[in-house]
C-alpha cells in the first residue's frame, strides 16, 4: 500500500496510522501528506469488491449524498485513496442534548438519497425474497444453532419469516444504504453527515434505513422518542410523495423491518465472534435482542415467536424479557 502511495501516486507520506476497521475484511488508514489528510481503504480483492464501492459511491454522489470523494483507485490490489471525513461519527457525539439536531441532518441525507436515486435505472440488486431469506438464515444458523447450540421448530421459524418478508416486500421501494446507523454517519463541518460504508446498497423497503438509524444496534433511545422521530420522518416521506400510507401502516412496516434487520444483526454478531474472532460484537447482542423481544410481543401474529424468544433464547442469554 505504501509503495502504491509513494511510488505510483508520488505522495510524500508524513504519517500512516490505522483509522478504523469494520466487521468486514476492510481496513482503513489515515495518511498525512504535506498538503492534506486522506483515508486509504485496504480491501483484499479475495474477500472484498472495490468495484462495488466505486459504483455505489458514484451513484450516491450523483444523488447529492455526501459520500467521500475517491481520488485514486487500485482495483488490482484493492486500494482506494479517499476523502477524510474526520474522526467523529454520530455514535461518538450523540447525547440527549444534540440527538434531535444530529438526526435531523441524517433525515435530510436519507430523504435526499431516497428522493434523488432513480430505482428503475440504479445499478443495484433488489432486496427480494431470496435475499431477505438468506439474511434471516444468518440468525438461525449462527445465533440459535451455533452460539446457543439450540433449535427452533421449523414451522415456527417459517411462519416468522413469512410475516417479516411479506411486510418488507409490500413496501414502496427506494435506494437502501443498508447500514445507515450511528457508526456510518460522520459529523462534518459542511454538508453533515458524511455517509460511509454504503457498498452493499440495494433497492428495497422504504422503512429499512430509517429503522436502522432510530433502532440502532449500538445506541438505544426511549421508545417514545423513537416514535416521535419516526412520525416526523413519515411526514417527510408523505411530503416528498414517496408514500401515501397512514402512520399506523408505516409503524408496522418500521417495526417488522427493524425486527428482520435485528435478527440478521444478531446472527452477524455471532458469526463475527465464532468465525472471525471479533468478540466485542457480542456486547451488542442484548440491546438488539431486546428490540426483537419488544416488537414480537407487540404483534399477535408473532406471539408464538415471542414466547419462544423469551422462554428459550433470552433465558439462555441470561436476559429478562
Amino acid at each position: 500500500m505504501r509503495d502504491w502511495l509513494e511510488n505510483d501516486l508520488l505522495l510524500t507520506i508524513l504519517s500512516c496510522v490505522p483509522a478504523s476497521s469494520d466487521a468486514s475484511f476492510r481496513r482503513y488508514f489515515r495518511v498525512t501528506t504535506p498538503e492534506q489528510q486522506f483515508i486509504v481503504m485496504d480491501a483484499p480483492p479475495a474477500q472484498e469488491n472495490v468495484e462495488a464501492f466505486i459504483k455505489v459511491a458514484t451513484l450516491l454522489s450523483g444523488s447529492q449524498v455526501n459520500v467521500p470523494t475517491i481520488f485514486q483507485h487500485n482495483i488490482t490490489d484493492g486500494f482506494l485513496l479517499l476523502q477524510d471525513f474526520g474522526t467523529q461519527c454520530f455514535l461518538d457525539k450523540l447525547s440527549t442534548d444534540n440527538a434531535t439536531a444530529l438526526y435531523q441532518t441524517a433525515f435530510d441525507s436519507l430523504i435526499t438519497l431516497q428522493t434523488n436515486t432513480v430505482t428503475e435505472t440504479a445499478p443495484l440488486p433488489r432486496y427480494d425474497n431470496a435475499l431477505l431469506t438468506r439474511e434471516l438464515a444468518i440468525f438461525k444458523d449462527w445465533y440459535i444453532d451455533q452460539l446457543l447450540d439450540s433449535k427452533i421448530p421449523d414451522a415456527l421459524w417459517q411462519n416468522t419469516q413469512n410475516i417479516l418478508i411479506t411486510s418488507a416486500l409490500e413496501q414502496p421501494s427506494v435506494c437502501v444504504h443498508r447500514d445507515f446507523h450511528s457508526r456510518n454517519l460522520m459529523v462534518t463541518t459542511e454538508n453533515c453527515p458524511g455517509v460511509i460504508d454504503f457498498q452493499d446498497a440495494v433497492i428495497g423497503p422504504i422503512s429499512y434505513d430509517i429503522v436502522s438509524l432510530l433502532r440502532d444496534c449500538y445506541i438505544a433511545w426511549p421508545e417514545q422518542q423513537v416514535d416521535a422521530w419516526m412520525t416526523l420522518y413519515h411526514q417527510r416521506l408523505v411530503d416528498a410523495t414517496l408514500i401515501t400510507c397512514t402512520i399506523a401502516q408505516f409503524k408496522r412496516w418500521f417495526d417488522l423491518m427493524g425486527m428482520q434487520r435485528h435478527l440478521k444483526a444478531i446472527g452477524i454478531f455471532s458469526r463475527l465472534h465464532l468465525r472471525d474472532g471479533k468478540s466485542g460484537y457480542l456486547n451488542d447482542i442484548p440491546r438488539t435482542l431486546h428490540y426483537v423481544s419488544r416488537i414480537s410481543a407487540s404483534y399477535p401474529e408473532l406471539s408464538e415467536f415471542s414466547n419462544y424468544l423469551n422462554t428459550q433464547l433470552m433465558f439462555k442469554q441470561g436476559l429478562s424479557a
Side-chain angles (χ1 to χ4, degrees):
M1 184 184 74
R2 287 196 67 127
D3 179 69
W4 175 64
L5 294 170
E6 294 176 335
N7 296 324
D8 291 359
L9 303 186
L10 303 179
L11 294 177
T12 300
I13 306 301
L14 302 179
S15 69
C16 177
V17 297
S20 68
S21 61
D22 59 27
S24 71
F25 292 95
R26 293 182 297 273
R27 297 184 301 164
Y28 299 88
F29 297 88
R30 178 164 283 104
V31 170
T32 303
T33 72
E35 293 78 26
Q36 66 183 103
Q37 289 190 152
F38 300 95
I39 293 294
V40 181
M41 178 195 292
D42 173 14
Q47 288 89 17
E48 301 292 337
N49 186 349
V50 170
E51 291 177 284
F53 184 96
I54 296 171
K55 177 183 69 176
V56 180
T58 302
L59 176 68
L60 299 192
S61 179
S63 297
Q64 284 79 57
V65 177
N66 186 22
V67 296
T69 300
I70 302 173
F71 296 112
Q72 298 286 346
H73 58 78
N74 177 344
I75 293 173
T76 301
D77 295 318
F79 302 142
L80 294 178
L81 187 69
L82 304 170
Q83 178 184 2
D84 186 0
F85 278 153
T87 61
Q88 298 293 316
C89 67
F90 270 35
L91 186 60
D92 299 326
K93 300 293 285 186
L94 279 166
S95 70
T96 54
D97 294 331
N98 68 12
T100 294
L102 276 178
Y103 280 144
Q104 185 60 58
T105 69
F107 294 167
D108 292 344
S109 178
L110 186 54
I111 206 80
T112 296
L113 169 67
Q114 295 176 334
T115 303
N116 291 352
T117 308
V118 180
T119 57
E120 291 78 12
T121 58
L124 299 175
R126 293 271 166 178
Y127 226 147
D128 58 10
N129 187 300
L131 179 54
L132 289 160
T133 302
R134 287 198 302 273
E135 289 190 340
L136 285 166
I138 300 171
F139 172 77
K140 180 182 180 297
D141 295 346
W142 288 94
Y143 179 67
I144 296 179
D145 294 353
Q146 297 193 53
L147 186 69
L148 297 187
D149 191 23
S150 188
K151 296 293 179 186
I152 183 171
D154 289 341
L156 172 58
W157 181 236
Q158 190 59 54
N159 180 62
T160 303
Q161 288 186 97
N162 289 342
I163 292 168
L164 299 180
I165 292 173
T166 298
S167 177
L169 295 180
E170 72 184 20
Q171 300 179 38
S173 291
V174 292
C175 181
V176 176
H177 176 289
R178 214 163 157 204
D179 273 310
F180 198 81
H181 57 67
S182 61
R183 286 185 172 175
N184 290 334
L185 300 175
M186 305 301 293
V187 179
T188 55
T189 54
E190 295 181 5
N191 198 16
C192 185
V195 179
I196 62 173
D197 204 17
F198 43 73
Q199 62 282 334
D200 294 322
V202 294
I203 302 301
I206 198 165
S207 69
Y208 192 96
D209 282 339
I210 189 63
V211 77
S212 301
L213 177 69
L214 298 182
R215 289 208 181 113
D216 195 325
C217 293
Y218 308 110
I219 185 170
W221 301 101
E223 196 59 22
Q224 184 178 3
Q225 178 64 79
V226 171
D227 280 346
W229 285 328
M230 183 263 303
T231 300
L232 285 173
Y233 197 73
H234 168 264
Q235 189 58 52
R236 293 286 299 269
L237 292 172
V238 170
D239 292 344
T241 67
L242 290 172
I243 58 171
T244 57
C245 67
T246 64
I247 185 61
Q249 177 63 75
F250 188 72
K251 179 171 171 52
R252 177 182 169 82
W253 287 343
F254 178 88
D255 285 344
L256 299 187
M257 194 75 259
M259 184 171 161
Q260 186 274 342
R261 174 176 167 76
H262 290 132
L263 290 173
K264 176 188 72 170
I266 291 166
I268 290 173
F269 295 153
S270 305
R271 185 174 67 190
L272 286 166
H273 164 65
L274 294 169
R275 187 190 70 184
D276 303 331
K278 298 181 178 181
S279 300
Y281 288 94
L282 291 179
N283 297 327
D284 298 309
I285 288 180
R287 181 188 307 106
T288 310
L289 201 59
H290 274 114
Y291 286 142
V292 176
S293 174
R294 187 166 64 246
I295 296 308
S296 62
S298 301
Y299 290 88
E301 60 268 47
L302 290 168
S303 60
E304 189 179 355
F305 180 79
S306 176
N307 181 63
Y308 167 79
L309 179 74
N310 293 323
T311 59
Q312 301 293 322
L313 305 188
M314 295 188 76
F315 175 76
K316 285 202 168 194
Q317 282 273 169
L319 302 171
S320 59

